[in-house]
Amino acid sequence: VQLQASGGGLVQAGGSLRLSCAASGNIFRINDMGWYRQAPGKQRELVARITSRGSTNNADSVKGRFTISRDNAKNTVYLQMNSLKPEDTAVYYCYAHVCTVVNGFSCADYWGKGTLVTVSS
């Protein structure tokens, strides 16, 4: 199973970006999907997560500005980021809790490599 994230870049404060993350491989089922971020010198933190049924959970710091969504047919999760602030600057990592049936049934968290978001003031 592989996760490929895209959509990061440089944007001015107040601007918007949309991140995408597609899962591929021998996938039986994807449960939760989501995004974490890690700013320089800080610990990785949860940004948003979404269940397979569409229930979402956002960090307080991004509520009202970021929206997480997913397309189950495409095994893809999105993060629409609006009203970006310099403090949103970080590497954003997507994850997915994936169940496979290779060598028996098993589930595990898989991570993308991260995409850099830089917000200038």
Side-chain angles (χ1 to χ4, degrees):
V1 177
Q2 293 184 333
L3 271 64
Q4 182 65 50
S6 61
L10 174 63
V11 64
Q12 289 188 333
S16 298
L17 283 173
R18 188 191 194 210
L19 305 183
S20 300
C21 178
S24 61
N26 201 326
I27 297 171
F28 176 75
R29 182 179 70 232
I30 301 179
N31 297 321
D32 286 6
M33 303 184 82
W35 296 90
Y36 278 72
R37 68 185 180 186
Q38 187 165 19
K42 295 188 177 181
Q43 290 187 331
R44 189 175 296 192
E45 63 175 357
L46 174 68
V47 177
R49 66 162 64 99
I50 184 168
T51 69
S52 58
R53 296 187 177 185
S55 296
T56 62
N57 180 29
N58 288 8
D60 288 343
S61 59
V62 305
K63 284 181 179 177
R65 300 188 298 122
F66 291 11
T67 302
I68 189 170
S69 62
R70 65 189 283 173
D71 184 333
N72 291 331
K74 296 181 179 180
N75 293 332
T76 300
V77 61
Y78 306 96
L79 186 68
Q80 178 65 44
M81 305 185 293
N82 298 330
S83 302
L84 282 160
K85 304 176 181 179
E87 51 263 44
D88 294 318
T89 295
V91 177
Y92 285 69
Y93 298 90
C94 61
Y95 82 93
H97 189 73
V98 180
C99 297
T100 67
V101 290
V102 176
N103 297 323
F105 181 82
S106 64
C107 303
D109 284 340
Y110 292 85
W111 292 86
K113 288 188 176 180
T115 184
L116 177 63
V117 172
T118 303
V119 184
S120 63
S121 57

